[in-house]
Amino acid sequence: MTVSMLALGVAASAQAEEFSWAGKTDPQTMDPHAVNSAPVLGFLNNVYEGLVRRGKDMSVEPALATSWEPIGDGEGWRFFLREGVTFHDGSTFDAEDVRFSYERASSEQSDTRSWFAPVKDLVVVDDMTVDILTNAPNPIFPDSIANWMIMDKGWAEANDTQRPDKENGNYATLNANGTGAFMLTDRQPGLSTSLAPFGGWWDTAEHNITKATYTPIDNSATAVAALLSGDVDMINPVPIQDAARVDARDGTTVVRGIEARVIMLGFGHDRDTLKYTSMAGEANPFLDVRVREAVAKAINVDAILQTIMRGSAEAASQLVSPAMNGYSDANNARPAYDPEGAKALLAAAGYADGFSFGLKCPNNRYLNDEAVCQAVTGMLAQIGITAELDAMPVQNYWPELRADNFDMYMLGWSPGTFDHEHPVRFLVTTPNPEKKLGSWNFGGFSNGRVDTLLPMIQSEIDATKRQAMIDEVVDIYQDEHAYVPLYVQPLVWGMQDNIELTQRPDNFFILRWVTVN
């Protein structure tokens, strides 16, 4: 939604102003191909651009490509590039930059390589035309690359950053050279990041910002105090418990919405033994679907929504929200809260006396994430399962998950394509680095039928046939309790009432739509 707190008639050409905002999570890197996470991609959408981008209503629109068209009989897509575009350092944008960015973003070192699982090759047709060839017809491919950002080949080569380095970092970790509306002027990890408008931007600026500064503030009370004192112009998120107070105060307001992100719990499907508590080394109970179902029945999602989310969130039955393309109406029911039924399932699985395990959660990534995990821990205790909670900052959390250091974990997923195929590809398909599939399927869930259906879903043009296949996948992952979907995360932003901005359901904060009045 586009939000303006001013009366009609305020001049669009408001006086240029500085702008500051704060959030809980600092972007881990300035490298657009190093970390596939919303804090990084959302921030860098202000600096870098792709061939396509999403507008205020989330529709896909031209960016560095002015148009695109299918090639032959489902062979791929031809993109016609925008002429006259320059990078922030003045270098000219052309097809070689696109080719380089494809090779970099799809490389083994890249955290975004799974985006290109359907791609066979990228061919430079001429300086301003590229063909992206796919392994099969892929009607939603242009939608899938809105966050694939184009880097300057010459700049990357000159600074020895031809490939991303998520673990150790390189020049692109702290520096940037995009084509976007804003340039990176100062980067101090964990402290602040400053941007300035790019005067050579190809598009028409809608903002009036002269300088934008982002500050990570991990403590929610400190962030609210900064907003109320006027130290920052906007915070994301406003703690649920403080939203009414911020909204009622003169000079500040709260912008609410529903994000595309589903919060869920995942299991270690591919390990024979537990890793944590006194039961470390013993058989992994979560290999039994009855135990996974018991977990789902033990969690009172309605209570979490009422007490922790203060009624701002919606319960989830699937890995996408009802607003996403491909949502399965045929599978819209979630397991009922049934602690006695959960105990019966545990007994049938041989765990009448319960067991203990390690639960990993972030404490600064999702809205009230640690509080939700604490509530889950208490609810599981009611059926005899003891969860040893280990909550940590997100910069430590992702390495723990990628190192398989969990028995169960929390995850939030927002589909970049706004389509159900997205979480199926990333979260449900059997992990396969060679095919660039299942890259966020940390628990290693695997089902042969899902693996067969995914490419069929990706290539099917008939909407009814495609939905039937998605319904089958949902039926499988629900029956298997591959994950326990909890709720769709709310959006709760706070701002000074002289700010105009656009809140999108992907929770990306786009500076080019901000006006300070």
Side-chain angles (χ1 to χ4, degrees), residues 336-352:
Y337 173 56
D338 182 7
E340 294 306 314
K343 291 178 183 178
L345 285 166
L346 288 178
Y351 293 98

Side-chain angles (χ1 to χ4, degrees), residues 139-161:
I140 66 168
F141 180 74
D143 290 57
S144 74
I145 58 171
N147 290 322
W148 170 39
M149 302 178 206
I150 305 302
M151 296 182 70
D152 176 17
K153 177 183 179 182
W155 179 84
E157 291 175 343
N159 293 291
D160 194 24
T161 181

Side-chain angles (χ1 to χ4, degrees), residues 59-71:
S59 61
V60 171
E61 61 186 31
L64 295 183
T66 56
S67 63
W68 48 93
E69 62 187 23
I71 303 170

Side-chain angles (χ1 to χ4, degrees), residues 433-502:
E434 183 180 349
K435 293 184 178 180
K436 306 170 186 174
L437 296 173
S439 58
W440 285 68
N441 182 358
F442 298 118
F445 175 77
S446 180
N447 181 281
R449 180 58 178 164
V450 171
D451 294 346
T452 297
L453 285 169
L454 176 64
M456 298 168 64
I457 291 169
Q458 291 173 327
S459 61
E460 182 56 63
I461 297 176
D462 185 284
T464 301
K465 293 179 180 178
R466 185 177 191 269
Q467 186 61 53
M469 291 187 284
I470 292 175
D471 288 347
E472 183 178 351
V473 169
V474 177
D475 191 52
I476 291 170
Y477 75 60
Q478 285 185 336
D479 284 349
E480 290 290 325
H481 296 278
Y483 295 88
V484 179
L486 299 176
Y487 53 88
V488 185
Q489 179 164 276
L491 293 173
V492 190
W493 297 4
M495 65 181 190
Q496 306 296 337
D497 63 9
N498 67 325
I499 304 298
E500 297 179 36
L501 52 74
T502 295

Side-chain angles (χ1 to χ4, degrees), residues 7 50 80 82 101 114-115 128 168 214 225 231 324 404 419 468:
F80 301 95
R82 188 177 299 277
S101 296
S114 55
W115 298 354
M128 304 308 293
N168 302 309
Y214 174 77
D231 289 341
M324 300 298 102
D404 293 334
D419 190 281

Side-chain angles (χ1 to χ4, degrees), residues 193-506:
T193 305
S194 296
L195 305 173
F198 175 38
W201 190 41
W202 58 269
D203 204 357
T204 302
E206 297 181 42
H207 66 86
N208 70 331
I209 298 173
T210 57
K211 178 183 178 181
T213 302
Y214 174 77
T215 303
I217 302 178
D218 182 55
N219 185 282
S220 297
T222 303
V224 171
L227 178 69
L228 296 180
S229 67
D231 289 341
V232 296
D233 297 305
M234 179 263 192
I235 63 171
N236 175 23
V238 175
I240 293 290
Q241 63 272 19
D242 294 316
R245 177 167 64 99
V246 172
D247 211 15
R249 184 181 181 278
D250 286 344
T252 58
T253 191
V254 172
V255 186
R256 302 175 186 268
I258 295 295
E259 194 178 351
R261 186 176 310 280
V262 171
I263 305 297
M264 67 194 78
L265 298 174
F267 304 97
H269 294 273
D270 61 355
R271 66 282 310 268
D272 295 328
T273 59
L274 292 172
K275 287 199 168 189
Y276 294 94
T277 74
S278 60
M279 293 189 67
E282 297 190 28
N284 178 12
F286 298 122
L287 293 180
D288 192 317
V289 66
R290 293 169 294 185
V291 174
R292 302 196 297 269
E293 183 179 359
V295 171
K297 287 180 175 291
I299 298 174
N300 189 342
V301 172
D302 288 341
I304 290 174
L305 299 186
Q306 185 62 36
T307 59
I308 299 176
M309 293 298 172
R310 307 288 177 97
S312 297
E314 300 174 355
S317 63
Q318 302 169 35
L319 304 185
V320 297
S321 75
M324 300 298 102
N325 187 49
Y327 178 82
S328 179
D329 291 322
N331 296 282
N332 63 358
R334 69 176 323 281
Y337 173 56
D338 182 7
E340 294 306 314
K343 291 178 183 178
L345 285 166
L346 288 178
Y351 293 98
D353 295 328
F355 60 92
S356 61
F357 72 97
L359 172 61
K360 290 289 175 72
C361 289
N363 59 18
N364 65 345
R365 175 62 190 93
Y366 311 117
L367 196 60
N368 290 343
D369 42 15
E370 184 175 8
V372 171
C373 286
Q374 289 170 342
V376 167
T377 297
M379 292 169 183
L380 293 180
Q382 296 299 311
I383 64 167
I385 301 178
T386 301
E388 183 180 277
L389 176 59
D390 184 11
M392 65 192 69
V394 69
Q395 60 266 31
N396 302 328
Y397 188 62
W398 299 133
E400 286 288 280
L401 295 194
R402 294 204 177 279
D404 293 334
N405 291 332
F406 61 86
D407 295 322
M408 192 165 83
Y409 62 95
M410 171 182 273
L411 181 68
W413 195 258
S414 178
T417 59
F418 273 46
D419 190 281
H420 210 143
E421 177 272 342
H422 194 270
V424 173
R425 173 166 34 115
F426 282 91
L427 305 182
V428 188
T429 304
T430 303
N432 187 323
E434 183 180 349
K435 293 184 178 180
K436 306 170 186 174
L437 296 173
S439 58
W440 285 68
N441 182 358
F442 298 118
F445 175 77
S446 180
N447 181 281
R449 180 58 178 164
V450 171
D451 294 346
T452 297
L453 285 169
L454 176 64
M456 298 168 64
I457 291 169
Q458 291 173 327
S459 61
E460 182 56 63
I461 297 176
D462 185 284
T464 301
K465 293 179 180 178
R466 185 177 191 269
Q467 186 61 53
M469 291 187 284
I470 292 175
D471 288 347
E472 183 178 351
V473 169
V474 177
D475 191 52
I476 291 170
Y477 75 60
Q478 285 185 336
D479 284 349
E480 290 290 325
H481 296 278
Y483 295 88
V484 179
L486 299 176
Y487 53 88
V488 185
Q489 179 164 276
L491 293 173
V492 190
W493 297 4
M495 65 181 190
Q496 306 296 337
D497 63 9
N498 67 325
I499 304 298
E500 297 179 36
L501 52 74
T502 295
Q503 184 185 71
R504 294 195 322 196
D506 61 357

